[in-house]
Short mmCIF file of all heavy atoms in Angstrom, two decimals:
data_model
loop_
_atom_site.label_atom_id
_atom_site.label_comp_id
_atom_site.label_asym_id
_atom_site.label_seq_id
_atom_site.Cartn_x
_atom_site.Cartn_y
_atom_site.Cartn_z
N GLU T 45 20.90 -11.23 -14.37
CA GLU T 45 22.05 -11.99 -13.87
C GLU T 45 22.11 -11.96 -12.34
O GLU T 45 22.54 -12.92 -11.72
CB GLU T 45 23.38 -11.45 -14.43
CG GLU T 45 23.54 -11.59 -15.93
CD GLU T 45 22.66 -10.62 -16.72
OE1 GLU T 45 22.24 -9.59 -16.13
OE2 GLU T 45 22.37 -10.91 -17.89
N ILE T 54 19.74 -21.78 -3.66
CA ILE T 54 18.53 -22.57 -3.44
C ILE T 54 18.73 -23.98 -4.02
O ILE T 54 18.29 -24.97 -3.45
CB ILE T 54 17.29 -21.87 -4.04
CG1 ILE T 54 17.10 -20.49 -3.38
CG2 ILE T 54 16.03 -22.73 -3.86
CD1 ILE T 54 15.94 -19.67 -3.94
N ALA T 92 -1.12 -10.94 5.37
CA ALA T 92 -0.43 -10.31 6.50
C ALA T 92 -1.44 -9.51 7.33
O ALA T 92 -1.46 -9.60 8.56
CB ALA T 92 0.69 -9.41 5.98
N SER T 115 -8.98 -4.94 -0.27
CA SER T 115 -8.29 -5.84 0.66
C SER T 115 -8.42 -5.40 2.11
O SER T 115 -8.60 -6.25 3.01
CB SER T 115 -6.81 -5.90 0.26
OG SER T 115 -6.02 -6.42 1.29
N THR T 116 -8.32 -4.11 2.38
CA THR T 116 -8.39 -3.60 3.76
C THR T 116 -9.70 -4.04 4.41
O THR T 116 -9.71 -4.57 5.52
CB THR T 116 -8.30 -2.05 3.78
OG1 THR T 116 -7.35 -1.62 2.82
CG2 THR T 116 -7.93 -1.53 5.15
N THR T 126 -16.91 -6.11 12.17
CA THR T 126 -17.74 -5.16 11.42
C THR T 126 -16.93 -3.92 11.07
O THR T 126 -16.43 -3.24 11.96
CB THR T 126 -18.95 -4.72 12.29
OG1 THR T 126 -19.64 -5.90 12.69
CG2 THR T 126 -19.87 -3.80 11.52
N PHE T 129 -17.17 2.56 8.53
CA PHE T 129 -16.47 3.44 7.61
C PHE T 129 -16.47 4.88 8.07
O PHE T 129 -17.52 5.45 8.38
CB PHE T 129 -17.09 3.34 6.21
CG PHE T 129 -16.93 1.97 5.61
CD1 PHE T 129 -18.00 1.09 5.54
CD2 PHE T 129 -15.69 1.56 5.13
CE1 PHE T 129 -17.85 -0.18 4.99
CE2 PHE T 129 -15.52 0.29 4.59
CZ PHE T 129 -16.61 -0.58 4.52
N ILE T 155 -8.65 0.74 15.19
CA ILE T 155 -8.73 1.63 14.03
C ILE T 155 -7.75 1.07 13.00
O ILE T 155 -6.61 0.75 13.33
CB ILE T 155 -8.31 3.08 14.39
CG1 ILE T 155 -9.05 3.56 15.65
CG2 ILE T 155 -8.56 4.03 13.22
CD1 ILE T 155 -8.54 4.92 16.18
N PRO T 157 -6.46 2.52 9.69
CA PRO T 157 -6.37 3.56 8.67
C PRO T 157 -5.41 3.13 7.54
O PRO T 157 -4.70 2.14 7.69
CB PRO T 157 -5.79 4.75 9.43
CG PRO T 157 -5.54 4.28 10.84
CD PRO T 157 -5.56 2.79 10.81
N ALA T 188 3.11 2.54 1.41
CA ALA T 188 4.03 3.46 2.10
C ALA T 188 5.43 2.89 2.34
O ALA T 188 6.16 3.38 3.21
CB ALA T 188 3.41 3.92 3.40
N MET T 194 8.58 12.41 10.38
CA MET T 194 9.37 12.97 11.48
C MET T 194 10.69 12.19 11.63
O MET T 194 11.08 11.84 12.75
CB MET T 194 8.59 12.91 12.80
CG MET T 194 7.25 13.60 12.79
SD MET T 194 7.34 15.39 12.95
CE MET T 194 7.47 15.56 14.71
N MET T 206 1.09 -2.91 8.01
CA MET T 206 1.21 -3.90 6.95
C MET T 206 1.81 -3.26 5.70
O MET T 206 1.36 -2.19 5.27
CB MET T 206 -0.16 -4.48 6.61
CG MET T 206 -0.16 -5.47 5.45
SD MET T 206 -0.23 -4.73 3.81
CE MET T 206 -1.97 -4.39 3.67
N ASN T 244 4.84 -26.58 17.65
CA ASN T 244 5.99 -27.49 17.50
C ASN T 244 5.47 -28.79 16.88
O ASN T 244 4.31 -28.87 16.50
CB ASN T 244 6.67 -27.74 18.85
CG ASN T 244 5.69 -28.29 19.88
OD1 ASN T 244 4.89 -29.18 19.57
ND2 ASN T 244 5.74 -27.76 21.09
N GLU T 259 11.26 -18.88 -0.80
CA GLU T 259 12.64 -18.42 -1.00
C GLU T 259 12.85 -17.66 -2.31
O GLU T 259 13.72 -16.80 -2.40
CB GLU T 259 13.60 -19.62 -0.92
CG GLU T 259 13.72 -20.19 0.49
CD GLU T 259 14.46 -19.25 1.43
OE1 GLU T 259 15.70 -19.27 1.45
OE2 GLU T 259 13.76 -18.49 2.14
N PHE T 260 12.07 -17.98 -3.34
CA PHE T 260 12.22 -17.28 -4.62
C PHE T 260 11.73 -15.84 -4.49
O PHE T 260 12.33 -14.92 -5.03
CB PHE T 260 11.47 -18.02 -5.74
CG PHE T 260 12.13 -19.30 -6.10
CD1 PHE T 260 11.86 -20.47 -5.39
CD2 PHE T 260 13.05 -19.36 -7.14
CE1 PHE T 260 12.49 -21.66 -5.71
CE2 PHE T 260 13.69 -20.54 -7.47
CZ PHE T 260 13.41 -21.70 -6.76
N THR T 263 14.24 -13.94 -2.42
CA THR T 263 15.40 -13.60 -3.23
C THR T 263 15.11 -12.39 -4.11
O THR T 263 15.95 -11.49 -4.25
CB THR T 263 15.80 -14.81 -4.11
OG1 THR T 263 16.06 -15.92 -3.26
CG2 THR T 263 17.03 -14.51 -4.94
N LEU T 269 15.85 -4.85 -3.32
CA LEU T 269 16.22 -3.95 -2.22
C LEU T 269 17.54 -3.22 -2.52
O LEU T 269 17.71 -2.05 -2.20
CB LEU T 269 16.33 -4.74 -0.92
CG LEU T 269 16.08 -3.98 0.38
CD1 LEU T 269 14.78 -3.20 0.33
CD2 LEU T 269 16.08 -4.95 1.56
N ASP T 291 1.34 21.71 -13.02
CA ASP T 291 1.07 22.79 -12.06
C ASP T 291 0.43 23.96 -12.80
O ASP T 291 0.86 24.33 -13.88
CB ASP T 291 2.38 23.26 -11.42
CG ASP T 291 2.45 22.85 -9.96
OD1 ASP T 291 1.55 22.08 -9.53
OD2 ASP T 291 3.38 23.28 -9.26
N GLY T 295 -8.35 23.36 -12.64
CA GLY T 295 -9.26 22.22 -12.58
C GLY T 295 -8.57 20.88 -12.35
O GLY T 295 -9.21 19.86 -12.21
N PRO T 299 -3.45 15.68 -4.28
CA PRO T 299 -3.55 15.72 -2.81
C PRO T 299 -2.32 16.37 -2.21
O PRO T 299 -1.23 16.32 -2.80
CB PRO T 299 -3.65 14.24 -2.42
CG PRO T 299 -3.23 13.45 -3.60
CD PRO T 299 -3.46 14.30 -4.80
N GLN T 300 -2.49 16.99 -1.05
CA GLN T 300 -1.38 17.68 -0.38
C GLN T 300 -0.96 16.88 0.84
O GLN T 300 -1.63 16.91 1.88
CB GLN T 300 -1.84 19.08 0.06
CG GLN T 300 -2.26 19.98 -1.10
CD GLN T 300 -1.13 20.20 -2.09
OE1 GLN T 300 0.01 20.45 -1.70
NE2 GLN T 300 -1.43 20.06 -3.38
N SER T 306 9.17 13.12 6.13
CA SER T 306 10.57 13.46 5.89
C SER T 306 11.16 12.67 4.72
O SER T 306 12.22 13.01 4.20
CB SER T 306 11.40 13.25 7.16
OG SER T 306 11.01 12.07 7.83
N PHE T 324 -14.50 19.32 -18.42
CA PHE T 324 -14.68 17.90 -18.76
C PHE T 324 -14.51 17.10 -17.47
O PHE T 324 -13.94 17.61 -16.50
CB PHE T 324 -13.65 17.44 -19.80
CG PHE T 324 -12.23 17.66 -19.42
CD1 PHE T 324 -11.55 16.74 -18.60
CD2 PHE T 324 -11.53 18.79 -19.85
CE1 PHE T 324 -10.24 16.95 -18.24
CE2 PHE T 324 -10.20 18.99 -19.48
CZ PHE T 324 -9.56 18.08 -18.68
N ARG T 326 -13.65 13.35 -15.18
CA ARG T 326 -12.61 12.34 -15.05
C ARG T 326 -12.72 11.26 -16.13
O ARG T 326 -11.73 10.87 -16.74
CB ARG T 326 -12.69 11.74 -13.64
CG ARG T 326 -11.62 10.73 -13.27
CD ARG T 326 -11.97 9.30 -13.60
NE ARG T 326 -13.28 8.86 -13.18
CZ ARG T 326 -13.56 8.35 -11.98
NH1 ARG T 326 -12.62 8.22 -11.09
NH2 ARG T 326 -14.79 7.94 -11.70
N ILE T 373 -8.00 10.19 -10.84
CA ILE T 373 -7.37 9.36 -11.87
C ILE T 373 -5.88 9.29 -11.51
O ILE T 373 -5.27 10.30 -11.20
CB ILE T 373 -7.65 9.96 -13.26
CG1 ILE T 373 -7.10 9.13 -14.39
CG2 ILE T 373 -7.13 11.36 -13.41
CD1 ILE T 373 -7.73 9.53 -15.73
N THR T 374 -5.33 8.08 -11.49
CA THR T 374 -3.89 7.98 -11.21
C THR T 374 -3.18 7.80 -12.54
O THR T 374 -3.51 6.94 -13.34
CB THR T 374 -3.54 6.83 -10.24
OG1 THR T 374 -4.14 5.64 -10.70
CG2 THR T 374 -4.01 7.10 -8.83
N LEU T 381 9.45 4.85 -16.95
CA LEU T 381 8.92 5.93 -17.78
C LEU T 381 10.04 6.90 -18.14
O LEU T 381 10.91 7.18 -17.31
CB LEU T 381 7.82 6.68 -17.02
CG LEU T 381 6.49 5.95 -16.82
CD1 LEU T 381 5.63 6.71 -15.82
CD2 LEU T 381 5.76 5.77 -18.14
#
Side-chain angles (χ1 to χ4, degrees):
E45 296 72 22
I54 300 177
S115 163
T116 320
T126 304
F129 296 105
I155 310 172
M194 304 281 277
M206 177 276 279
N244 57 43
E259 290 290 276
F260 290 85
T263 302
L269 207 51
D291 250 8
Q300 298 301 315
S306 41
F324 56 83
R326 184 270 312 272
I373 183 164
T374 51
L381 289 169

